[in-house]
């Protein structure tokens, strides 16, 4: 059973170590990648996420700039900060930790980020670039899933990929990425009829729903690869995925656990986007000179 598990923690550590080397190289060429992290309010989960991102920056050698704003800060002040960061040459990536307090329009804030610094990949320009296959930042969780599949030697081309969930941050972008890798993609959501029958046809299943153990053992085709994005906090405090892990591992050829699967890859890919952003700047400078 052990060798069926895709170890996201191990793979994310490999990615981070590779990035460390790239950052050393960039530093030697005069550029220190910089990530600005904007946190509004005191949401405890957001504070934990921001803390993990800063820790990863420190490990890799990325300079992190932290901006903590009180819950009652105005939308105008947040937009002014984004504008300052857009023009700051030491900042190569801007991350606004979501969710924002209700009085701040999330879309307006995301739209204000310069797409060349949109390392979270949530700007409509980044999303559009993904759809048309142009250069742009890919949001971190979907990018992490592709990395997990590739590093586990899963061939996506021609495979039937069933994505359960159609959110803007996971379901839609991962579907586009699987399509780019020449998968045959089916998207399912809460109105899908006969979910089990569709999932049963999948060679690769991506579950991004937010419902604990929605994907059961009887929905799995023998040999399927299962990527569980779900992170559901149960009443007993434990984290649980969208997949019934114990029942599905029997039939799966590969499966991600929760925790320790997709989760660690999200931060690693954020770091990757930040390094890409700094490296692009270096390339532009070389071309300009
Ligand atoms: P959303 O709530 O934004 O989207 C959930 C999607 O699941 C919707 O498209 C919804 O359909 C669909 N859905 C809900 N119930 C069912 C059902 N019974 N059958 C089929 N489809 C259903 O969630 P996110 O995409 O943001 O997150 C999904 C999960 O992934 C969550 O557990 C979240 O915590 C986790 N997550 C983990 C990350 C990580 O780094 N590991 C990062 C991001 C998310 P409809 O559109 O019709 O409403």
């Amino acid at each position: 059973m052990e060798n069926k598990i895709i170890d996201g923690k191990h793979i994310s550590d490999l990615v981070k170590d590779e990035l460390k080397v790239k950052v050393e190289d960039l530093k030697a060429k005069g550029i220190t990648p910089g990530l600005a992290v904007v946190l509004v309010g005191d949401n405890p989960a957001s504070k934990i996420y921001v803390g993990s991102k800063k820790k990863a920056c420190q490990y890799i050698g990325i300079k992190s700039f932290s901006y903590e704003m009180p819950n009652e800060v105005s939308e105008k002040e947040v937009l002014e900060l984004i504008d300052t960061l857009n023009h700051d040459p030491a900042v190569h990536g801007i991350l606004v930790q979501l969710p924002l307090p209700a009085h701040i329009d999330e879309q307006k804030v995301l739209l204000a980020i310069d797409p060349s610094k949109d390392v979270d990949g949530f700007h409509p320009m980044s999303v559009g670039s993904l759809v048309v296959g142009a250069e742009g930042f890919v949001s971190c969780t979907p990018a992490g899933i592709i990395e997990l599949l590739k590093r586990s030697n899963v061939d996506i081309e021609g495979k039937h990929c069933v994505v359960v969930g159609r959110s803007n941050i996971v379901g839609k972008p991962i579907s586009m990425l699987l399509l780019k890798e020449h998968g045959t993609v089916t998207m399912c959501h809460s109105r899908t009829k006969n979910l089990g029958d569709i999932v049963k046809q999948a060679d690769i299943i991506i579950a991004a729903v937010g419902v604990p153990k929605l994907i059961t053992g009887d929905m799995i085709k023998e040999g399927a690869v299962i990527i569980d994005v779900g992170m559901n906090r149960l009443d007993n405090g434990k984290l649980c995925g969208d997949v019934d892990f114990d029942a599905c591992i029997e039939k799966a050829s590969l499966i991600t656990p929760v925790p320790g699967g997709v989760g660690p890859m999200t931060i690693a890919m954020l770091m990757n986007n930040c390094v890409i952003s700094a490296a692009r700047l270096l390339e532009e400078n070389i071309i300009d000179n």
Side-chain angles (χ1 to χ4, degrees), residues 244-259:
D244 184 346
F245 182 88
D246 292 335
C248 293
I249 194 170
E250 302 283 338
K251 291 188 189 159
S253 60
L254 287 170
I255 184 167
T256 59
V258 176

Side-chain angles (χ1 to χ4, degrees), residues 109-178:
V109 171
L110 294 180
L111 258 176
I113 298 173
D114 181 338
S116 73
K117 298 188 178 187
D118 177 38
V119 286
D120 242 348
F122 293 157
H123 192 289
M125 185 99 123
S126 306
V127 178
S129 296
L130 175 62
V131 175
V132 299
E135 196 172 284
F137 289 111
V138 177
S139 57
C140 305
T141 301
I145 294 171
I146 296 293
E147 202 64 30
L148 281 181
L149 290 171
K150 287 192 171 170
R151 288 184 190 240
S152 307
N153 299 316
V154 175
D155 191 13
I156 302 168
E157 185 172 333
K159 298 284 162 57
H160 188 188
C161 310
V162 172
V163 178
V164 190
R166 55 172 166 181
S167 71
N168 288 338
I169 62 165
V170 190
K172 285 179 194 161
I174 188 61
S175 299
M176 285 300 137
L177 287 174
L178 291 165

Side-chain angles (χ1 to χ4, degrees), residues 49 141 164-171 188-192 195 207-211 214 228-232 240 242 261-267:
Y49 291 139
T141 301
V164 190
R166 55 172 166 181
S167 71
N168 288 338
I169 62 165
V170 190
C188 302
H189 44 79
S190 68
R191 316 285 173 94
T192 297
L195 180 70
V209 188
V211 177
L214 177 77
D228 189 355
V229 187
M231 285 214 291
N232 310 294
C240 168
D242 292 341
V262 175
M265 289 305 287
T266 300
I267 291 186

Side-chain angles (χ1 to χ4, degrees), residues 21-34 61 63 89-92 275 277-283 285-286 289:
V21 176
K22 286 186 189 167
V23 168
E24 275 166 24
D25 184 47
L26 282 169
K27 282 184 177 168
K29 290 170 179 155
I31 289 195
T32 300
K63 190 162 174 40
V91 171
H92 304 98
V275 172
S277 181
R280 269 187 203 152
L281 188 76
L282 184 71
E283 267 172 43
N285 286 345
I286 292 169
N289 293 328

